PDB file of all heavy atoms in Angstrom:
ATOM      1  N   ASP A  13     -21.497  17.725   1.476  1.00  0.00           N
ATOM      2  CA  ASP A  13     -20.116  18.180   1.391  1.00  0.00           C
ATOM      3  C   ASP A  13     -20.008  19.517   2.135  1.00  0.00           C
ATOM      4  O   ASP A  13     -20.540  20.534   1.679  1.00  0.00           O
ATOM      5  CB  ASP A  13     -19.732  18.328  -0.087  1.00  0.00           C
ATOM      6  CG  ASP A  13     -18.294  18.755  -0.292  1.00  0.00           C
ATOM      7  OD1 ASP A  13     -17.478  18.574   0.621  1.00  0.00           O
ATOM      8  OD2 ASP A  13     -17.983  19.281  -1.386  1.00  0.00           O
ATOM      9  N   PHE A  60     -34.901  18.002  -0.127  1.00  0.00           N
ATOM     10  CA  PHE A  60     -35.140  16.788  -0.903  1.00  0.00           C
ATOM     11  C   PHE A  60     -36.148  15.895  -0.181  1.00  0.00           C
ATOM     12  O   PHE A  60     -36.208  15.886   1.042  1.00  0.00           O
ATOM     13  CB  PHE A  60     -33.831  16.008  -1.094  1.00  0.00           C
ATOM     14  CG  PHE A  60     -32.773  16.750  -1.854  1.00  0.00           C
ATOM     15  CD1 PHE A  60     -31.962  17.682  -1.209  1.00  0.00           C
ATOM     16  CD2 PHE A  60     -32.577  16.527  -3.209  1.00  0.00           C
ATOM     17  CE1 PHE A  60     -30.986  18.369  -1.901  1.00  0.00           C
ATOM     18  CE2 PHE A  60     -31.600  17.214  -3.903  1.00  0.00           C
ATOM     19  CZ  PHE A  60     -30.807  18.141  -3.256  1.00  0.00           C
ATOM     20  N   ALA A  82      -9.532  21.741  12.203  1.00  0.00           N
ATOM     21  CA  ALA A  82     -10.591  22.577  11.618  1.00  0.00           C
ATOM     22  C   ALA A  82      -9.970  23.852  11.064  1.00  0.00           C
ATOM     23  O   ALA A  82      -9.995  24.901  11.701  1.00  0.00           O
ATOM     24  CB  ALA A  82     -11.643  22.897  12.667  1.00  0.00           C
ATOM     25  N   LYS A  95     -20.502  13.103  13.779  1.00  0.00           N
ATOM     26  CA  LYS A  95     -21.661  12.219  13.637  1.00  0.00           C
ATOM     27  C   LYS A  95     -22.768  12.603  14.612  1.00  0.00           C
ATOM     28  O   LYS A  95     -23.939  12.688  14.239  1.00  0.00           O
ATOM     29  CB  LYS A  95     -21.240  10.770  13.853  1.00  0.00           C
ATOM     30  CG  LYS A  95     -22.366   9.773  13.639  1.00  0.00           C
ATOM     31  CD  LYS A  95     -21.850   8.350  13.693  1.00  0.00           C
ATOM     32  CE  LYS A  95     -22.956   7.346  13.408  1.00  0.00           C
ATOM     33  NZ  LYS A  95     -22.455   5.955  13.390  1.00  0.00           N
ATOM     34  N   ALA A 115     -13.684  12.680  -1.783  1.00  0.00           N
ATOM     35  CA  ALA A 115     -13.383  12.901  -3.200  1.00  0.00           C
ATOM     36  C   ALA A 115     -12.558  11.750  -3.767  1.00  0.00           C
ATOM     37  O   ALA A 115     -12.771  11.308  -4.908  1.00  0.00           O
ATOM     38  CB  ALA A 115     -12.646  14.223  -3.371  1.00  0.00           C
ATOM     39  N   LYS A 128      -8.293   0.737 -11.148  1.00  0.00           N
ATOM     40  CA  LYS A 128      -6.843   0.800 -10.982  1.00  0.00           C
ATOM     41  C   LYS A 128      -6.411   0.011  -9.755  1.00  0.00           C
ATOM     42  O   LYS A 128      -7.022   0.086  -8.699  1.00  0.00           O
ATOM     43  CB  LYS A 128      -6.375   2.257 -10.835  1.00  0.00           C
ATOM     44  CG  LYS A 128      -6.732   3.156 -12.010  1.00  0.00           C
ATOM     45  CD  LYS A 128      -6.010   2.752 -13.269  1.00  0.00           C
ATOM     46  CE  LYS A 128      -6.307   3.721 -14.397  1.00  0.00           C
ATOM     47  NZ  LYS A 128      -5.671   3.325 -15.665  1.00  0.00           N
ATOM     48  N   VAL A 135      -4.809  14.083  -5.547  1.00  0.00           N
ATOM     49  CA  VAL A 135      -4.288  15.353  -5.036  1.00  0.00           C
ATOM     50  C   VAL A 135      -5.211  16.468  -5.495  1.00  0.00           C
ATOM     51  O   VAL A 135      -5.425  16.645  -6.700  1.00  0.00           O
ATOM     52  CB  VAL A 135      -2.862  15.628  -5.551  1.00  0.00           C
ATOM     53  CG1 VAL A 135      -2.305  16.911  -4.925  1.00  0.00           C
ATOM     54  CG2 VAL A 135      -1.937  14.450  -5.270  1.00  0.00           C
ATOM     55  N   THR A 136      -5.769  17.212  -4.554  1.00  0.00           N
ATOM     56  CA  THR A 136      -6.605  18.355  -4.916  1.00  0.00           C
ATOM     57  C   THR A 136      -5.845  19.639  -4.601  1.00  0.00           C
ATOM     58  O   THR A 136      -5.465  19.876  -3.455  1.00  0.00           O
ATOM     59  CB  THR A 136      -7.947  18.337  -4.165  1.00  0.00           C
ATOM     60  OG1 THR A 136      -7.727  18.346  -2.753  1.00  0.00           O
ATOM     61  CG2 THR A 136      -8.734  17.091  -4.535  1.00  0.00           C
ATOM     62  N   GLY A 140      -5.831  24.900  -0.108  1.00  0.00           N
ATOM     63  CA  GLY A 140      -4.742  24.086   0.425  1.00  0.00           C
ATOM     64  C   GLY A 140      -4.480  22.935  -0.525  1.00  0.00           C
ATOM     65  O   GLY A 140      -4.806  23.001  -1.713  1.00  0.00           O
ATOM     66  N   GLY A 149      -8.138   0.022  -4.317  1.00  0.00           N
ATOM     67  CA  GLY A 149      -9.527   0.401  -4.179  1.00  0.00           C
ATOM     68  C   GLY A 149      -9.980   0.678  -2.762  1.00  0.00           C
ATOM     69  O   GLY A 149     -11.126   1.065  -2.545  1.00  0.00           O
ATOM     70  N   HIS A 165       9.192  24.797   4.039  1.00  0.00           N
ATOM     71  CA  HIS A 165       7.862  25.363   4.268  1.00  0.00           C
ATOM     72  C   HIS A 165       6.818  24.258   4.248  1.00  0.00           C
ATOM     73  O   HIS A 165       7.028  23.183   3.677  1.00  0.00           O
ATOM     74  CB  HIS A 165       7.522  26.393   3.177  1.00  0.00           C
ATOM     75  CG  HIS A 165       8.470  27.544   3.116  1.00  0.00           C
ATOM     76  ND1 HIS A 165       8.353  28.661   3.904  1.00  0.00           N
ATOM     77  CD2 HIS A 165       9.574  27.746   2.338  1.00  0.00           C
ATOM     78  CE1 HIS A 165       9.325  29.519   3.626  1.00  0.00           C
ATOM     79  NE2 HIS A 165      10.079  28.980   2.684  1.00  0.00           N
ATOM     80  N   ALA A 171       2.672  25.268  -2.856  1.00  0.00           N
ATOM     81  CA  ALA A 171       2.239  24.561  -4.069  1.00  0.00           C
ATOM     82  C   ALA A 171       0.734  24.481  -4.236  1.00  0.00           C
ATOM     83  O   ALA A 171       0.262  23.949  -5.243  1.00  0.00           O
ATOM     84  CB  ALA A 171       2.828  23.151  -4.086  1.00  0.00           C
ATOM     85  N   ASN A 199       8.553  10.015  -4.392  1.00  0.00           N
ATOM     86  CA  ASN A 199       9.773   9.431  -3.833  1.00  0.00           C
ATOM     87  C   ASN A 199       9.525   8.785  -2.470  1.00  0.00           C
ATOM     88  O   ASN A 199      10.264   7.890  -2.059  1.00  0.00           O
ATOM     89  CB  ASN A 199      10.860  10.494  -3.707  1.00  0.00           C
ATOM     90  CG  ASN A 199      11.444  10.865  -5.060  1.00  0.00           C
ATOM     91  OD1 ASN A 199      11.394  10.086  -6.004  1.00  0.00           O
ATOM     92  ND2 ASN A 199      11.999  12.062  -5.156  1.00  0.00           N
ATOM     93  N   PRO A 203       3.623   5.793  -5.990  1.00  0.00           N
ATOM     94  CA  PRO A 203       2.273   5.437  -6.448  1.00  0.00           C
ATOM     95  C   PRO A 203       2.259   4.944  -7.890  1.00  0.00           C
ATOM     96  O   PRO A 203       3.200   5.190  -8.664  1.00  0.00           O
ATOM     97  CB  PRO A 203       1.518   6.764  -6.327  1.00  0.00           C
ATOM     98  CG  PRO A 203       2.583   7.804  -6.546  1.00  0.00           C
ATOM     99  CD  PRO A 203       3.825   7.251  -5.898  1.00  0.00           C
ATOM    100  N   GLU A 204       1.177   4.281  -8.239  1.00  0.00           N
ATOM    101  CA  GLU A 204       0.963   3.860  -9.628  1.00  0.00           C
ATOM    102  C   GLU A 204       0.376   4.994 -10.463  1.00  0.00           C
ATOM    103  O   GLU A 204       0.544   5.027 -11.685  1.00  0.00           O
ATOM    104  CB  GLU A 204      -0.015   2.677  -9.664  1.00  0.00           C
ATOM    105  CG  GLU A 204       0.443   1.444  -8.902  1.00  0.00           C
ATOM    106  CD  GLU A 204       1.438   0.620  -9.690  1.00  0.00           C
ATOM    107  OE1 GLU A 204       1.590   0.866 -10.892  1.00  0.00           O
ATOM    108  OE2 GLU A 204       2.068  -0.264  -9.072  1.00  0.00           O
ATOM    109  N   PHE A 206      -1.213   9.355 -10.193  1.00  0.00           N
ATOM    110  CA  PHE A 206      -1.705  10.571  -9.570  1.00  0.00           C
ATOM    111  C   PHE A 206      -3.005  10.977 -10.262  1.00  0.00           C
ATOM    112  O   PHE A 206      -3.070  11.013 -11.502  1.00  0.00           O
ATOM    113  CB  PHE A 206      -0.723  11.739  -9.731  1.00  0.00           C
ATOM    114  CG  PHE A 206       0.438  11.738  -8.789  1.00  0.00           C
ATOM    115  CD1 PHE A 206       1.735  11.868  -9.274  1.00  0.00           C
ATOM    116  CD2 PHE A 206       0.254  11.647  -7.416  1.00  0.00           C
ATOM    117  CE1 PHE A 206       2.816  11.893  -8.412  1.00  0.00           C
ATOM    118  CE2 PHE A 206       1.334  11.667  -6.540  1.00  0.00           C
ATOM    119  CZ  PHE A 206       2.615  11.787  -7.036  1.00  0.00           C
ATOM    120  N   GLY A 210      -9.322  19.423  -7.636  1.00  0.00           N
ATOM    121  CA  GLY A 210      -9.403  20.767  -7.088  1.00  0.00           C
ATOM    122  C   GLY A 210      -9.858  21.748  -8.152  1.00  0.00           C
ATOM    123  O   GLY A 210      -9.931  21.419  -9.345  1.00  0.00           O
ATOM    124  N   GLY A 211     -10.155  22.965  -7.723  1.00  0.00           N
ATOM    125  CA  GLY A 211     -10.676  23.964  -8.653  1.00  0.00           C
ATOM    126  C   GLY A 211      -9.780  24.229  -9.847  1.00  0.00           C
ATOM    127  O   GLY A 211     -10.253  24.485 -10.954  1.00  0.00           O
ATOM    128  N   LYS A 215      -8.913  23.891 -15.533  1.00  0.00           N
ATOM    129  CA  LYS A 215      -8.075  24.414 -16.625  1.00  0.00           C
ATOM    130  C   LYS A 215      -6.820  23.554 -16.767  1.00  0.00           C
ATOM    131  O   LYS A 215      -5.702  24.060 -16.709  1.00  0.00           O
ATOM    132  CB  LYS A 215      -7.688  25.865 -16.348  1.00  0.00           C
ATOM    133  CG  LYS A 215      -8.864  26.820 -16.227  1.00  0.00           C
ATOM    134  CD  LYS A 215      -8.378  28.226 -15.916  1.00  0.00           C
ATOM    135  CE  LYS A 215      -9.556  29.206 -15.792  1.00  0.00           C
ATOM    136  NZ  LYS A 215      -9.093  30.573 -15.451  1.00  0.00           N
ATOM    137  N   ALA A 244     -21.696   9.946  -0.109  1.00  0.00           N
ATOM    138  CA  ALA A 244     -22.823   9.027  -0.276  1.00  0.00           C
ATOM    139  C   ALA A 244     -22.341   7.586  -0.390  1.00  0.00           C
ATOM    140  O   ALA A 244     -22.940   6.667   0.191  1.00  0.00           O
ATOM    141  CB  ALA A 244     -23.639   9.416  -1.507  1.00  0.00           C
ATOM    142  N   PRO A 257     -17.343  -3.960  16.980  1.00  0.00           N
ATOM    143  CA  PRO A 257     -16.142  -3.695  16.187  1.00  0.00           C
ATOM    144  C   PRO A 257     -15.542  -4.951  15.599  1.00  0.00           C
ATOM    145  O   PRO A 257     -15.071  -4.958  14.474  1.00  0.00           O
ATOM    146  CB  PRO A 257     -15.204  -3.025  17.209  1.00  0.00           C
ATOM    147  CG  PRO A 257     -16.122  -2.389  18.213  1.00  0.00           C
ATOM    148  CD  PRO A 257     -17.296  -3.326  18.306  1.00  0.00           C
ATOM    149  N   LEU A 266     -13.357  -9.814   5.029  1.00  0.00           N
ATOM    150  CA  LEU A 266     -13.905 -10.847   4.153  1.00  0.00           C
ATOM    151  C   LEU A 266     -14.559 -10.268   2.910  1.00  0.00           C
ATOM    152  O   LEU A 266     -14.969 -11.015   2.026  1.00  0.00           O
ATOM    153  CB  LEU A 266     -14.951 -11.664   4.929  1.00  0.00           C
ATOM    154  CG  LEU A 266     -14.408 -12.489   6.094  1.00  0.00           C
ATOM    155  CD1 LEU A 266     -15.557 -13.160   6.830  1.00  0.00           C
ATOM    156  CD2 LEU A 266     -13.397 -13.520   5.612  1.00  0.00           C
TER     157      LEU A 266
END
Side-chain angles (χ1 to χ4, degrees):
D13 182 21
F60 298 82
K95 184 173 183 177
K128 301 294 184 183
V135 184
T136 58
H165 300 275
N199 286 336
E204 300 280 347
F206 281 129
K215 300 179 180 178
L266 294 176

